[in-house]
Amino acid sequence: METISRTSTSQSEANASGKTTRAELHRPQYHFTPGKHWMNDPNGLIMFNGMYHLYYQYNPHGNQWGHMSWGHATSSDLVHWEEQAVAISEKEYMIFSGTTALASDKQTLIAAFTSFDHGLNAKGELIAKAQHQSIAKSNDGGYSYQEIATNPVLDIGSKEFRDPKLFFDDKTQKWNMLVSLSTERKIAFYHSEDLEKWKKVSEFGPLGNIDMVWECPDFFELQLHDNTTTKWILTVSAGHPQNGYLGVQYFIGDFDGTRFVPDKLPYPLYLDHGKDFYAGITFANTGRKNYATMMAWVGSHIYSADTPTDVWKGAMSLPRDLFLTATKGGYRLQSKPPHSYLASLYEKPWGRKGLQLYNGMVEPPFKSKSFMARLLLKNKGSGTAGIKFHRSEECETVVGVDFANNEVFLDRTKGATKIFDPKFPGKDFVPTDASWQTLQIDLFVDHSVVEVFVQKGEYCITNLVFPDENCNTIKLFSEGGMTFFEEFEIRNIKSIWK
């Protein structure tokens, strides 16, 4: 999301020149964060020559939104990241979100991004003049990009026209660009043969959640695991199940090279039901047909400017493999828990099988803010049960099941010791299904980031939390009834920075 509600001047220049240990309070230890300064949307995710490239909205000068450029990090495994130099720098305009693709020579990387023309009003506040689409090319494997001379290549005279998704269609032999008409809640489809002259060929929307502006479209093809069915997925960053918050919704349908026609499904459908999973896009050029790997910004423009971190602001989600599945109600998109990516970081587990709890708690023999837990639960229909963590007298975060109300929840009502925004505390939930004989929760906690996968990724909840340094106690609990923990496993997760 490219907010312009704040000025582009940055906060602490002292922090900008200082070094970071990556050991600051709230700093995630196995999620990517920049060493310093502000970060939001992932941009241009692509795999090239065995290396994953993560670009992202970045302020090189401070830890507030502004001076937007494309920051850059690389990884061979999507877990251990190395920060690189800024790939596309702010010029007379900011470099907003976009995507990358591989050119026909298989050596050149093409970046499409929104160039944001802006100015200042009499009060020194940032004002929008225009948002248009530009192209840049990299001939050094994605480490630096040079803009083409004919930029901007697509300009419709709008202040709300952004976040191009670029790909080449082998069937039509044309470049495709999807751009968000954000306030219209539409996605515009364009064709080009040379990346410079673009023709509008169709529109999609409005449909689903139209409470908030539409941004950051992604568009990719997935094959069902039986290898007989192929569908196109359109994701749009927009509204949230709870009105007034932000999330990512998706549509499933067919694409004929020009027009996307969605299946008749009960939209809106969401990739994540938390309040801090936004602007997610998938890695291009992986060659995979059965799944696509997405990363998203763990944050929200509603309150992220005020979160209690100073050296840096913003984190990326864990890599999330998205796959298509068939249900009685039609196709759905699910997210596989990222155990395969993180396995090398797992320490020796502590676990229990066949544990029964009735109005009680069990405390694992360690304290941690950086761990993975897997719970398999059964209950006869009353009370709540799950795991409480980041606990102290002043704070705790709870992930559990409300059996009476048939929901899995992440409760961060007390997830931050100091309330920095009234919209931050709260509870997010997803429904349970009567067909689930055993309910499985995979939980990834990393200091200020919590990612929850329900029933192996049928539903997800991602949220930020900000406990104090001493909020590190963990407990299993059952309240108001008898819960059978068929299996429980918890592991510390090693830091990727040490």
Side-chain angles (χ1 to χ4, degrees):
M1 181 180 183
E2 286 80 82
T3 179
I4 59 169
S5 61
R6 298 178 180 272
T7 67
S8 61
T9 55
S10 61
Q11 188 172 300
S12 172
E13 291 299 330
N15 288 336
S17 61
K19 293 183 178 179
T20 174
T21 63
R22 293 191 188 270
E24 302 90 353
L25 179 65
H26 306 313
R27 170 83 77 168
Q29 292 300 298
Y30 60 91
H31 288 73
F32 175 76
T33 56
K36 54 189 177 181
H37 305 324
W38 170 279
M39 176 188 73
N40 55 285
D41 307 357
N43 298 153
L45 306 186
I46 194 166
M47 186 179 187
F48 182 65
N49 288 344
M51 187 69 69
Y52 293 96
H53 292 262
L54 164 64
Y55 306 100
Y56 47 89
Q57 290 287 277
Y58 185 58
N59 180 357
H61 305 293
N63 70 346
Q64 290 292 299
W65 184 93
H67 299 290
M68 300 316 298
S69 304
W70 274 25
H72 184 203
T74 55
S75 174
S76 60
D77 61 3
L78 288 174
V79 175
H80 298 87
W81 294 95
E82 182 177 355
E83 271 191 270
Q84 307 291 344
V86 171
I88 309 178
S89 297
E90 174 194 32
K91 299 177 177 62
E92 66 273 15
Y93 45 78
M94 293 192 203
I95 311 298
F96 273 4
S97 290
T99 52
T100 55
L102 185 62
S104 59
D105 63 6
K106 306 301 181 185
Q107 294 299 319
T108 305
L109 293 179
I110 311 294
F113 60 89
T114 297
S115 39
F116 173 51
D117 190 6
H118 61 282
L120 298 176
N121 63 18
K123 297 180 180 179
E125 298 169 331
L126 196 69
I127 56 172
K129 292 183 178 179
Q131 294 181 354
H132 29 60
Q133 316 318 313
S134 294
I135 297 290
K137 298 183 179 182
S138 173
N139 296 306
D140 63 359
Y143 292 89
S144 64
Y145 286 82
Q146 294 74 46
E147 293 194 38
I148 65 175
T150 53
N151 278 341
V153 297
L154 182 55
D155 185 359
I156 63 171
S158 172
K159 299 177 183 179
E160 301 287 348
F161 180 59
R162 56 182 175 266
D163 309 336
K165 164 64 179 182
L166 179 71
F167 70 98
F168 187 78
D169 190 338
D170 290 326
K171 295 179 181 178
T172 63
Q173 289 294 295
K174 294 182 186 297
W175 285 100
N176 286 250
M177 186 189 289
L178 283 67
V179 189
S180 174
L181 300 165
S182 59
T183 56
E184 298 177 45
R185 281 62 165 175
K186 292 181 179 180
I187 303 299
F189 286 68
Y190 292 86
H191 279 173
S192 176
E193 295 181 355
D194 60 5
L195 291 169
E196 296 185 22
K197 298 176 182 177
W198 293 88
K199 178 183 178 182
K200 186 176 180 180
V201 294
S202 67
E203 286 185 352
F204 170 80
L207 183 66
N209 188 318
I210 58 172
D211 293 334
M212 310 289 275
V213 296
W214 281 19
E215 301 182 313
C216 304
D218 196 9
F219 195 55
F220 51 94
E221 195 174 16
L222 281 183
Q223 205 171 71
L224 206 64
H225 283 286
D226 62 9
N227 297 323
T228 61
T229 303
T230 299
K231 286 289 182 179
W232 282 86
I233 315 297
L234 173 63
T235 64
V236 178
S237 292
H240 182 273
Q242 295 184 43
N243 190 30
Y245 293 91
L246 302 172
V248 180
Q249 61 181 316
Y250 70 90
F251 305 91
I252 299 175
D254 298 305
F255 180 60
D256 64 4
T258 299
R259 185 176 300 276
F260 173 68
V261 179
D263 291 355
K264 293 181 179 180
L265 297 174
Y267 301 116
L269 297 170
Y270 298 97
L271 278 178
D272 196 289
H273 289 245
K275 297 189 178 80
D276 294 303
F277 187 89
Y278 195 72
I281 60 172
T282 57
F283 280 89
N285 199 45
T286 64
R288 298 163 187 154
K289 296 182 179 180
N290 295 122
Y291 67 94
T293 303
M294 174 176 278
M295 295 179 74
W297 175 42
V298 182
S300 172
H301 279 292
I302 294 171
Y303 43 69
S304 282
D306 299 317
T307 54
T309 65
D310 185 32
V311 176
W312 92 102
K313 284 191 190 293
M316 285 295 161
S317 72
L318 295 170
R320 187 173 294 190
D321 289 344
L322 308 179
F323 62 95
L324 198 63
T325 185
T327 73
K328 292 180 180 179
Y331 295 109
R332 294 292 189 276
L333 203 57
Q334 293 191 17
S335 306
K336 184 179 180 181
H339 293 294
S340 61
Y341 294 109
L342 298 174
S344 65
L345 302 178
Y346 288 167
E347 296 187 350
K348 185 178 180 181
W350 181 90
R352 290 288 185 270
K353 290 186 177 181
L355 174 67
Q356 293 191 77
L357 278 181
Y358 179 75
N359 288 338
M361 289 192 181
V362 170
E363 185 172 340
F366 59 83
K367 300 179 186 296
S368 180
K369 286 187 174 182
S370 186
F371 64 91
M372 177 279 292
R374 179 188 287 128
L375 298 80
L376 278 70
L377 304 92
K378 290 183 177 179
N379 184 287
K380 293 183 178 180
S382 62
T384 60
I387 183 170
K388 299 181 178 182
F389 53 94
H390 289 345
R391 300 190 74 242
S392 72
E393 292 183 358
E394 296 181 343
C395 62
E396 70 175 9
T397 300
V398 186
V399 172
V401 189
D402 184 333
F403 293 100
N405 292 316
N406 300 312
E407 63 186 35
V408 177
F409 62 87
L410 194 170
D411 187 347
R412 67 174 185 188
T413 303
K414 298 171 64 179
T417 307
K418 298 179 181 178
I419 303 303
F420 51 86
D421 189 287
K423 296 198 77 172
F424 184 81
K427 181 177 178 180
D428 295 288
F429 58 90
V430 297
T432 62
D433 190 311
S435 66
W436 299 347
Q437 295 184 3
T438 300
L439 199 151
Q440 179 172 330
I441 297 174
D442 291 86
L443 170 66
F444 299 86
V445 176
D446 192 7
H447 292 257
S448 55
V449 178
V450 180
E451 297 190 56
V452 181
F453 295 76
V454 180
Q455 290 304 89
K456 302 180 181 179
E458 190 164 335
Y459 294 103
C460 302
I461 308 174
T462 300
N463 275 342
L464 290 167
V465 292
F466 296 99
D468 276 350
E469 187 172 359
N470 296 322
C471 301
N472 56 7
T473 303
I474 303 167
K475 290 188 178 183
L476 293 180
F477 75 95
S478 178
E479 299 171 354
M482 175 71 75
T483 302
F484 179 63
F485 289 80
E486 186 175 288
E487 183 179 331
F488 173 72
E489 176 184 285
I490 187 169
R491 297 172 181 259
N492 275 319
I493 298 181
K494 292 179 287 188
S495 173
I496 62 175
W497 306 117
K498 298 177 182 178

